[in-house]
Amino acid sequence: MKRILWIGIVACAGYAMLIPEAAYCDTQKRLGQAVFSVHKVDHGARVAGMGGAFTAIADDISTIFVNPAGLTNVEEREYTLGYTRWLVDTRFYSGALAYNTTRGVVGLAVMAFSVPDVEETTIYQPVGTGRMLEIGDFSVGASYATKLTDKLSFGFQVRWTQETIDVDRLTGVDFNFGTTFNTGFRSLRLGMAFKNLGRDIESRELNYQMPVAFDFGFAMDVFGEKGGDATYLTLTGESHYATDYSEPRYRIGGELWLQNAFALRAGVKPGYDTEVFSLGLGLKVKPVEGKVVRVDFAYSDGNDFEPPLRFSLSGSF
């Protein structure tokens, strides 16, 4: 079984090396044509607080939305609930559960994108017909992650998503694959995630691509060390390739834990139109021996829009 997984990882890594050229060889055709907006936004306040640079950190249940391989860091059972106030009064909601079994970690995640009521308009009734349009996304996915060695983890996820635009409903199935690797050099970790792989979707003679993306990142403790010190600082960065962009983009973030109870976070996304910078706060408490509750908040730059805000509640049970 592990030999098969190794082969799969090597195949994914080799294919991923072709992404920069394959994804951008025809940018005029592909740019802006990807569906399922719910998969293009950072879910979880901790993730967003670091500018989305979480692929290599991947050390709690919020990684189920970023890199499924990180689920191997779930010790027993964990949950998370997330809320995002997004642009122009839209909302994102998310939730997930993960359980560490004797044969790996299994997880279940749901995501939803909500749009406020929009009234239909026509050429003859430009101020509105009185009929309200139904718009939004819903996605549910199952994940599995396992440790191939004491340093290398592998995870995958399969998801079903539906996007509703009035009477049109686009549905699709996509797959995510990821790895995390502890290099053994100080605290340097590497992460790779190949996301949203699926067939194109056709509707009304139009072809829509899946929002295929490839992330490769690193993380390292530059002050103190996680697991050994109560106060430590982690820096992380990653490259992000996606079919919705005309060129690769980058994310840089940092997280400072104080007494392993209070966190300060910051992140930047050079070249982005919105969320160019992010700030975040986190609080971790243990109300019951052996159990953890985390509350996280993140603020992101909205440019000309109202700044996105995110709240997350997560923990173990």
Side-chain angles (χ1 to χ4, degrees):
M1 180 64 179
K2 289 188 176 182
R3 179 177 298 178
I4 295 175
L5 291 177
W6 270 105
I7 294 173
I9 291 172
V10 173
C12 287
Y15 183 53
M17 295 177 64
L18 303 176
I19 287 181
E21 181 175 349
Y24 309 118
C25 63
D26 192 0
T27 57
Q28 294 300 318
K29 178 181 178 181
R30 301 177 68 87
L31 189 62
Q33 291 296 307
V35 292
F36 301 154
S37 299
V38 72
H39 298 322
K40 305 177 189 180
V41 175
D42 295 329
H43 294 275
R46 186 183 177 207
V47 176
M50 288 183 277
F54 200 75
T55 304
I57 293 181
D59 59 1
D60 66 21
I61 190 173
S62 57
T63 191
I64 198 170
F65 303 112
V66 181
N67 181 359
L71 289 175
T72 55
N73 290 297
V74 173
E75 294 183 357
E76 294 183 359
R77 298 177 297 271
E78 290 193 14
Y79 67 90
T80 185
L81 298 171
Y83 165 81
T84 299
R85 187 194 73 183
W86 191 236
L87 308 177
V88 293
D89 203 32
T90 57
R91 302 286 190 269
F92 284 95
Y93 304 91
S94 61
L97 295 170
Y99 176 57
N100 193 330
T101 73
T102 57
R103 295 183 177 274
V105 182
V106 294
L108 179 67
V110 295
M111 295 176 285
F113 175 48
S114 174
V115 177
D117 291 341
V118 177
E119 187 176 359
E120 178 188 51
T121 61
T122 67
I123 296 176
Y124 301 106
Q125 295 175 287
V127 297
T129 65
R131 190 175 78 88
M132 307 309 292
L133 306 180
E134 181 183 356
I135 303 174
D137 292 0
F138 178 78
S139 178
V140 58
S143 304
Y144 174 78
T146 185
K147 287 188 175 183
L148 301 181
T149 70
D150 60 339
K151 296 182 181 296
L152 178 65
S153 296
F154 171 78
F156 69 88
Q157 183 181 63
V158 56
R159 293 185 302 206
W160 175 88
T161 306
Q162 177 173 277
E163 183 168 286
T164 302
I165 307 176
D166 195 22
V167 297
D168 292 333
R169 283 178 168 77
L170 307 179
T171 60
V173 175
D174 69 283
F175 299 88
N176 299 331
F177 301 90
T179 62
T180 58
F181 178 61
N182 188 335
T183 65
F185 174 72
R186 296 186 178 180
S187 60
L188 179 63
R189 292 96 74 191
L190 303 178
M192 178 187 75
F194 203 5
K195 302 185 288 189
N196 311 323
L197 298 172
R199 298 179 58 182
D200 292 350
I201 300 172
E202 293 185 3
S203 177
R204 298 197 179 191
E205 299 181 355
L206 294 176
N207 187 66
Y208 299 94
Q209 289 87 24
M210 296 294 290
V212 177
F214 173 70
D215 298 330
F216 181 81
F218 72 91
M220 187 173 185
D221 302 331
V222 296
F223 172 77
E225 187 171 343
K226 178 186 175 183
D229 298 293
T231 298
Y232 60 94
L233 172 64
T234 303
L235 296 182
T236 181
E238 64 184 55
S239 59
H240 176 67
Y241 299 90
T243 56
D244 249 5
Y245 306 140
S246 58
E247 57 186 25
R249 297 187 175 189
Y250 302 93
R251 302 165 174 172
I252 303 170
E255 181 179 57
L256 172 64
W257 277 100
L258 303 173
Q259 296 304 310
N260 206 28
F262 185 69
L264 300 174
R265 305 180 181 108
V268 293
K269 295 180 177 180
Y272 280 67
D273 297 320
T274 58
E275 297 194 295
V276 176
F277 70 88
S278 301
L279 299 173
L281 301 173
L283 177 66
K284 179 167 61 175
V285 297
K286 295 183 178 181
V288 180
E289 183 65 28
K291 305 302 179 184
V292 175
V293 174
R294 298 182 295 267
V295 179
D296 298 296
F297 167 80
Y299 166 94
S300 301
D301 165 43
N303 199 353
D304 295 329
F305 298 96
E306 192 173 17
L309 299 177
R310 292 175 173 86
F311 299 90
S312 294
L313 174 65
S314 56
S316 58
F317 65 98

